[in-house]
Amino acid sequence: MSLAGLRVVVSAGPTYEDLDPVRFLGNRSSGKMGFAIAAAAARRGAETVLVAGPVHLPTPEGVARIDVRSAAQMHAVVLDALPADVYVGAAAVADFTPENIATSKIKKIPGEAALVLRLVRTPDILADVARDARRPRVVLGFAAETDDVAAYARGKLDAKRVDMIAANRVGQAGSGFESDDNALSVYWRRDDGTVGERTLGPAPKVALADALLDLVEERLPA
Ligand code: CTP
Ligand code: CA
């Protein structure tokens, strides 16, 4: 139950993708899960860096927090925080961002019934951490799904070459984004290529954070 001497980087919260000086595209992530993981890592003695999207949460004790806004900023700050022993990608990173940020407020055009926005893909922070030369020994991603949780989570394990995926079913009462409680299905790739699976919770996110870090510690070579 110790991460003493190790460096843990956690991303948390949503990202906001600006459309113009007054509008953005965001999501419902509260940041609570990632903040709980960072707090638990610091309690276990890790040098803990928390890269936080826009949230209203207090900085956990003993945690070095860096606030960011967009997916692009989060990508730059997380990669800058390497090398690390563990990366936990708990942020709900926007998959798409406006191709252009308008420098002035977007105005309605008289007679135009619709506005077409063109969005482009953001960098995949988790995949880039997993393929970096300074790759942490344990890379843990999250998967927020509304259906087929197990199949998608296993797919992400392979596609992003991460060590563990913690999947939660969003859009259900008592779990997911805004709640204090959650239930996670955790998947990890074993050395022999088979996939391990454990269900954690339903439980408060603070308790889940500790249970998740127990699993992370099992993956860390002594
Ligand atoms: N993630 C990331 N960078 C992105 C998008 C996602 O680092 N640009 C990370 C998230 O932090 C999470 C994991 O990827 O740890 C999975 O996020 P999720 O949205 O569930 O899956 P995606 O891979 O984005 O695929 P999709 O949304 O299409 O299901
Ligand atoms: Ca996504």
Side-chain angles (χ1 to χ4, degrees):
M1 287 267 294
S2 174
L3 293 170
L6 300 184
R7 180 174 164 91
V8 174
V9 176
V10 181
S11 69
T15 65
Y16 284 2
E17 308 302 319
D18 288 337
L19 281 163
D20 70 11
V22 295
R23 305 186 182 93
F24 61 86
L25 300 173
N27 64 68
R28 294 182 188 279
S29 170
S30 67
K32 286 175 186 165
M33 191 69 236
F35 272 61
I37 292 168
R43 278 198 305 272
R44 288 170 184 233
E47 176 195 346
T48 307
V49 177
L50 173 60
V51 183
V55 291
H56 295 283
L57 291 174
T59 306
E61 211 181 304
V63 168
R65 171 178 180 172
I66 305 171
D67 286 321
V68 298
R69 182 171 174 87
S70 66
Q73 288 169 0
M74 186 174 278
H75 182 265
V77 170
V78 165
L79 283 145
D80 242 25
L82 301 182
D85 299 284
V86 177
Y87 174 69
V88 180
V93 185
D95 294 323
F96 297 96
T97 193
E99 186 169 41
N100 300 298
I101 303 177
T103 50
S104 321
K105 187 183 161 199
I106 299 169
K107 303 293 284 180
K108 297 188 295 298
I109 298 170
E112 294 269 318
L115 170 70
V116 177
L117 288 176
R118 187 171 160 81
L119 307 177
V120 294
R121 289 277 296 270
T122 55
D124 191 318
I125 303 166
L126 186 64
D128 284 354
V129 168
R131 66 169 156 249
D132 196 273
R134 301 156 298 171
R135 186 191 198 284
R137 285 185 281 169
V138 176
V139 177
L140 164 60
F142 275 72
E145 308 287 0
T146 51
D147 48 30
D148 265 336
V149 177
Y152 283 123
R154 284 163 184 265
K156 278 173 193 170
L157 211 49
D158 287 331
K160 304 200 188 197
R161 288 196 258 144
V162 300
D163 303 291
M164 299 176 72
I165 287 279
N168 56 38
R169 201 180 280 270
V170 291
Q172 277 195 335
S175 74
F177 274 10
E178 278 155 340
S179 168
D180 285 333
D181 286 30
N182 201 4
L184 295 173
S185 300
V186 188
Y187 304 85
W188 61 90
R189 178 71 60 197
R190 295 200 190 89
D191 291 339
D192 65 5
T194 60
V195 174
E197 178 180 351
R198 175 105 46 98
T199 301
L200 305 177
K205 287 179 177 172
V206 170
L208 285 180
D210 264 311
L212 253 185
L213 288 184
D214 285 342
L215 290 178
V216 167
E217 285 187 16
E218 283 176 29
R219 319 301 315 146
L220 281 168

